[in-house]
């Protein structure tokens, strides 16, 4: 029973830290009791003894107990805890055994407020940041001080010349973003949602692995290289006369597709719907899409159908494939939430409906290789 009061003390702690950050004086803590009372005399005396162990006296910090009369048919007239009051900060911290932690919190907080008073609202949001980040606050301050007075646009995130190790900014991206927005909102675009956008940093090029399915063309255009990596900007500029492009969301599948005339395969790494939607090469070729058989996979397939409505065909994402491998279907972690996928074909929609009903997923690695070879062999 005493545990319920102790839990209330713990729940007040975050509010207590917030009050320290905002400069408010300590507020008296009032703890309310539970309706359930001891059932036996032994339980009653034991519980009262526990309450009195933390009771405030002239020599000891603790809580003040208000008692109420309690008339029990079984135990007769008794006294029971009505309300517990913690009326000083010292008593509160003693009960939680957090005197040292609170002292460290106040010292670190003062350092931060002396550095940037505007950091107060950042800390009030999550007071635990004051101590959780204690070992890195010094470096965070160095980075913020540098960014506030230097234009770093055009730098890559790892090349910003600040006196911290090269991974530091990358590691603390979200914290630095929030600090800059809090300390100098007038300096940065309100629409920015990442540190990279906020600082106009250069982005390292994202490379899509490409495998040439036609070695003859690979020899003509790529000096015989069968696999290479290209950026989406490069893909948008080339004018190859390619008959087929295969987009796969699993790297293994990049190498399962057999050799085909005038064809390439691209490992889109789950990013097809983000950057491969306006590529002339994909628009004029016969486009095959092989994605994951789960909710995200079909959402991506649906989006790709929307981008390329006239030339895109999925492989291994239909009802026939799912039924052939029903025994291999597992469960996805999250519950399906997607209601409508308007661009799917009838066969794709049927497969999606089965997966959604079972909250299922079929890992691509569980599709039998003999089935893969058989189906790919029939695609003309």
């Amino acid at each position: 029973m005493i545990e319920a009061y102790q839990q209330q003390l713990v729940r007040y702690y975050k509010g207590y830290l917030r009050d320290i950050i905002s400069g408010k004086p300590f507020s008296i803590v009032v703890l309310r009791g539970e309706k359930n009372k001891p059932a036996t005399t032994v339980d009653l005396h034991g519980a009262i003894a526990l309450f009195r162990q933390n009771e405030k006296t002239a020599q000891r910090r603790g809580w003040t107990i208000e008692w109420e009369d309690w008339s029990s048919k079984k135990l007769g007239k008794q006294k029971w805890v009505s309300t517990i009051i913690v009326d000083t900060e010292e008593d509160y911290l003693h009960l939680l055994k957090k005197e040292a932690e609170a002292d460290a919190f106040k010292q670190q907080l003062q350092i931060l407020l002396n550095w940037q008073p505007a950091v107060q609202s950042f800390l009030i949001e999550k007071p635990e940041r004051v101590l959780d980040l204690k070992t890195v606050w010094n470096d965070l301050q160095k980075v913020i001080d540098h960014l506030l007075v230097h234009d770093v646009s055009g730098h890559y995130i790892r090349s910003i010349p600040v006196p911290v190790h090269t991974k530091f900014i990358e590691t603390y991206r979200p914290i630095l973003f929030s600090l800059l927005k809090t300390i100098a909102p007038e300096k940065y675009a309100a629409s920015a949602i990442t540190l990279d956008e906020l600082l106009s940093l250069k982005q390292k090029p994202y490379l899509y692995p490409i495998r040439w399915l036609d070695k003859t063309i690979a020899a003509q255009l790529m000096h015989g290289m069968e696999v290479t990596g290209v950026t989406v900007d490069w893909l948008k500029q080339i004018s190859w006369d390619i008959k087929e492009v295969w987009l796969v969301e699993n790297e293994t599948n990049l190498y399962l597709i057999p050799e085909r005339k005038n064809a390439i395969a691209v490992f889109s790494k789950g990013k097809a719907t983000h950057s491969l939607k306006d590529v002339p090469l994909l628009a004029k070729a016969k486009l095959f899409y092989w994605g994951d058989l789960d909710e995200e996979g079909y959402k991506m397939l649906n989006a790709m159908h929307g981008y390329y409505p006239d030339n895109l065909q999925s492989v291994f994402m239909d009802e026939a494939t799912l039924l052939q491998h029903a025994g291999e279907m597992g469960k996805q972690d999250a519950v399906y939430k997607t209601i409508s996928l308007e661009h799917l074909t009838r066969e794709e929609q049927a497969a999606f409906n089965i997966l959604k009903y079972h909250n299922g997923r079929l890992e691509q690695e569980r599709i039998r290789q003999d089935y893969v070879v058989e189906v790919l062999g029939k695609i003309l």
Side-chain angles (χ1 to χ4, degrees):
M1 295 176 181
I2 193 172
E3 291 83 359
Y5 292 92
Q6 293 169 331
Q7 289 169 4
Q8 289 180 62
L9 281 176
V10 172
R11 286 198 294 270
Y12 273 101
Y13 190 62
K14 194 167 187 176
Y16 161 74
L17 295 179
R18 283 199 171 107
D19 285 348
I20 294 176
I21 295 170
S22 56
K24 294 180 182 177
F26 178 77
S27 298
I28 293 175
V29 178
V30 179
L31 309 177
R32 303 296 181 183
E34 292 187 316
K35 294 181 179 180
N36 296 330
K37 295 181 174 67
T40 68
T41 302
V42 173
D43 290 342
L44 174 64
H45 292 163
I48 289 176
L50 288 173
F51 280 116
R52 290 202 181 279
Q53 283 180 5
N54 289 317
E55 191 170 17
K56 186 174 182 177
T57 68
Q59 295 78 32
R60 183 179 65 200
R61 300 194 183 283
W63 54 35
T64 301
I65 303 174
E66 293 184 354
W67 302 91
E68 65 180 0
D69 293 326
W70 169 38
S71 181
S72 167
K73 291 181 181 180
K74 186 175 181 180
L75 305 180
K77 291 185 177 181
Q78 302 289 344
K79 292 284 187 181
W80 184 244
V81 177
S82 169
T83 304
I84 289 181
I85 297 172
V86 183
D87 51 17
T88 72
E89 182 178 7
E90 292 76 13
D91 291 323
Y92 179 65
L93 294 174
H94 171 78
L95 289 164
L96 287 178
K97 295 180 173 56
K98 285 186 177 288
E99 295 97 332
E101 181 178 305
D103 186 56
F105 182 91
K106 291 175 181 179
Q107 291 183 39
Q108 181 63 46
L109 173 65
Q110 195 56 55
I111 292 171
L112 296 174
L113 293 178
N114 289 343
W115 165 61
Q116 285 284 353
V119 78
Q120 183 186 55
S121 61
F122 170 82
L123 299 174
I124 284 178
E125 181 186 347
K126 291 184 178 179
E128 63 274 13
R129 287 168 169 164
V130 173
L131 291 183
D132 286 352
L133 297 172
K134 186 174 182 179
T135 59
V136 296
W137 267 120
N138 188 47
D139 286 342
L140 288 171
Q141 289 172 251
K142 290 178 184 177
V143 174
I144 293 296
D145 289 342
H146 181 91
L147 296 177
L148 289 174
V149 297
H150 292 90
D151 179 8
V152 296
S153 60
H155 279 276
Y156 291 106
I157 193 164
R158 296 281 293 274
S159 70
I160 298 174
V162 289
V164 295
H165 63 77
T166 57
K167 274 192 174 181
F168 185 84
I169 297 178
E170 199 167 35
T171 301
Y172 291 97
R173 258 190 178 109
I175 297 294
L176 292 167
F177 173 81
S178 296
L179 281 170
L180 289 170
K181 293 275 281 187
T182 300
I183 293 170
E186 73 289 344
K187 180 179 173 66
Y188 301 104
S191 58
I193 59 174
T194 67
L195 182 67
D196 300 61
E197 291 179 13
L198 198 72
L199 301 176
S200 300
L201 299 179
K202 288 176 67 176
Q203 301 298 305
K204 62 182 180 181
Y206 190 86
L207 296 179
Y208 290 94
I210 284 184
R211 176 182 164 228
W212 289 86
L213 303 179
D214 188 330
K215 291 183 179 180
T216 302
I217 298 183
Q220 295 172 358
L221 300 178
M222 301 297 294
H223 302 286
M225 282 194 298
E226 183 182 356
V227 180
T228 187
V230 300
T231 66
V232 68
D233 289 336
W234 189 83
L235 271 178
K236 289 180 178 180
Q237 294 172 10
I238 59 175
S239 57
W240 294 334
D241 185 19
I242 299 294
K243 176 185 175 184
E244 293 179 358
V245 176
W246 292 67
L247 294 177
V248 298
E249 298 297 343
N250 185 302
E251 187 173 16
T252 300
N253 297 344
L254 187 68
Y255 304 98
L256 292 182
I257 303 171
E259 293 184 15
R260 297 178 66 86
K261 287 188 175 297
N262 206 5
I264 60 173
V266 181
F267 174 31
S268 47
K269 299 186 181 182
K271 297 180 180 290
T273 58
H274 300 292
S275 55
L276 296 179
K277 58 184 178 181
D278 294 308
V279 181
L281 175 68
L282 304 187
K284 67 179 183 179
K286 191 171 184 180
L287 189 58
F288 296 93
Y289 185 83
W290 185 359
D292 295 314
L293 282 81
D294 57 17
E295 183 174 20
E296 286 303 313
Y298 280 89
K299 285 168 63 176
M300 293 181 66
L301 172 60
N302 184 70
M304 292 302 290
H305 270 306
Y307 300 147
Y308 301 102
D310 300 322
N311 65 322
L312 184 134
Q313 172 185 336
S314 71
V315 289
F316 305 115
M317 298 185 73
D318 56 2
E319 184 179 17
T321 297
L322 199 57
L323 294 177
Q324 282 281 340
H325 299 82
E328 300 294 334
M329 185 170 65
K331 299 281 187 181
Q332 73 170 25
D333 294 335
V335 175
Y336 275 66
K337 296 180 181 178
T338 304
I339 298 174
S340 174
L341 295 173
E342 67 276 15
H343 299 307
L344 297 185
T345 66
R346 183 180 302 174
E347 294 80 6
E348 294 162 353
Q349 186 67 57
F352 177 78
N353 290 342
I354 294 171
L355 290 166
K356 183 176 181 180
Y357 180 81
H358 294 282
N359 200 55
R361 68 187 303 261
L362 177 61
E363 296 180 11
Q364 296 182 27
E365 294 84 352
R366 293 187 176 275
I367 299 176
R368 298 191 316 274
Q369 183 59 21
D370 62 332
Y371 182 80
V372 170
V373 173
E374 178 186 351
V375 171
L376 293 181
K378 293 177 180 178
I379 297 177
L380 300 178

